Amino acid sequence: MQVTGLLAELKRQGGIASEQQFKELQQELGSSFKDTIDWLLAQTQTWAVAPISSFHVAALVKAKNSQSGVFYAVGVNVELAGLGLEVSTHAEQCALHNAWLHGATEIEHIYISAAPCGHCRQFINEFKGAKNIAITIGDKSTTLNELLPQAFGPVDLGVEQPLLGNAASHHDESRSLHHHFAQSYAPYSGGKAAVAIEYEGATYFGRYMENAAFNPSFSPMQAALSQIVLANQEVDFSAITAVTLLEQQAGKSHLGASKTVLAQLAPHAQFNYELLSSSCAPAIT
């Protein structure tokens, strides 16, 4: 398969490439492993949606699944015009969520086109084995431990199972919103959550990811929107036809923020809401 075909396939797969596909790309390019990574970052950087900053960032996560199979997950930054900067998605968040959604149980390496900001360093720190995760920015290789010394993380708030700490599931395209809700990560609030977005005949899911520092937490709405960006060319969020938010009753809620985002992006889309009690019994449908 030619390079253009491999890139198109990467889009069709939502920014996910198997180890074999990566090797095929490397062979087609006739490049070293590192040069292939750099080429992929440069190509996928163009997928970013950055109407506010005009600063395009790409990230590539090398991960393993429960069968120890290696795969690669792309991520890009996503900014939402007309909304607050706090609902922007960073490339590292996008890539890590993409890897997790597609069955990652271990993060081996993160490759980034620009140095990670403090927000993203804290976000990465939530994952299993975080301090030893290798991070490469351009020609510089380092670890999160070097980028985030004296870090504050899950253990400081009594959480013994960080993100991926007990992961054993595999990716399945038929998984339902309730599956993604169950897989979401909310050890601090206890409020699991997930979103399903209907866009141009397909359904895109986003899982909630909490963080020990709270603010770097990744909302399910942001997560699902980033999945749309990874799988489509020239994204038009106004084409969203429906959004369903499923969340667990807790001391916080994604309801208001999700409705605000949808009202700005696709005001005519249908919004559905389901709230589960703290025991996960259906409460409101």
Side-chain angles (χ1 to χ4, degrees), residues 3-75:
V3 167
T4 53
L6 287 166
L7 269 178
E9 187 68 13
L10 186 62
K11 256 292 182 186
R12 284 193 293 271
Q13 294 170 179
I16 297 294
S18 67
E19 186 175 31
Q20 180 59 36
Q21 287 175 314
F22 183 89
K23 288 178 179 177
E24 289 176 11
L25 177 61
Q26 185 178 345
Q27 185 176 3
E28 287 289 336
L29 292 172
S31 300
S32 66
F33 177 88
K34 179 61 169 59
D35 286 344
T36 304
I37 290 288
D38 291 342
W39 186 88
L40 255 181
L41 287 174
Q43 295 298 313
T44 56
Q45 227 173 313
T46 63
W47 299 2
V49 177
I52 301 169
S53 69
S54 297
F55 188 71
H56 296 73
V57 184
L60 187 66
V61 168
K62 183 181 180 182
K64 282 186 177 181
N65 58 30
S66 58
Q67 290 79 43
S68 297
V70 172
F71 69 97
Y72 297 84
V74 171

Side-chain angles (χ1 to χ4, degrees), residues 7-203:
L7 269 178
E9 187 68 13
L10 186 62
K11 256 292 182 186
R12 284 193 293 271
Q13 294 170 179
I16 297 294
S18 67
E19 186 175 31
Q20 180 59 36
Q21 287 175 314
F22 183 89
K23 288 178 179 177
E24 289 176 11
L25 177 61
Q26 185 178 345
Q27 185 176 3
E28 287 289 336
L29 292 172
S31 300
S32 66
F33 177 88
K34 179 61 169 59
D35 286 344
T36 304
I37 290 288
D38 291 342
W39 186 88
L40 255 181
L41 287 174
Q43 295 298 313
T44 56
Q45 227 173 313
T46 63
W47 299 2
V49 177
I52 301 169
S53 69
S54 297
F55 188 71
H56 296 73
V57 184
L60 187 66
V61 168
K62 183 181 180 182
K64 282 186 177 181
N65 58 30
S66 58
Q67 290 79 43
S68 297
V70 172
F71 69 97
Y72 297 84
V74 171
V76 294
N77 58 314
V78 180
E79 299 166 2
L80 305 177
L83 289 162
L85 298 181
E86 67 274 8
V87 294
S88 297
T89 294
H90 299 236
E92 295 89 331
Q93 289 178 306
C94 182
L96 286 163
H97 173 268
N98 199 24
W100 182 40
L101 199 71
H102 287 83
T105 56
E106 182 180 344
I107 304 301
E108 284 195 348
H109 208 124
I110 303 174
Y111 304 90
I112 319 170
S113 63
C117 67
H119 182 97
C120 287
R121 298 178 195 199
Q122 180 64 45
F123 186 80
I124 297 167
N125 192 49
E126 196 69 30
F127 284 78
K128 179 183 70 175
K131 68 177 182 178
N132 295 319
I133 292 177
I135 298 174
T136 297
I137 312 116
D139 293 327
K140 179 178 174 57
S141 290
T142 183
T143 64
L144 185 66
N145 197 43
E146 294 176 334
L147 293 175
L148 192 67
Q150 302 181 42
F152 179 86
V155 173
D156 296 291
L157 291 181
V159 172
E160 296 180 356
Q161 291 287 350
L163 253 170
L164 306 187
N166 58 356
S169 64
H170 64 279
H171 179 58
D172 184 340
E173 294 291 349
S174 67
R175 294 298 191 184
S176 67
L177 179 58
H178 279 260
H179 164 78
H180 292 289
F181 164 84
Q183 292 292 309
S184 65
Y185 176 79
Y188 307 108
S189 69
K192 287 177 172 287
V195 157
I197 297 181
E198 302 298 325
Y199 176 84
E200 296 191 342
T203 303

Side-chain angles (χ1 to χ4, degrees), residues 225-236:
L225 290 171
S226 72
Q227 285 291 299
I228 292 175
V229 170
L230 292 174
N232 294 273
Q233 304 281 0
E234 300 180 4
V235 172
D236 177 10

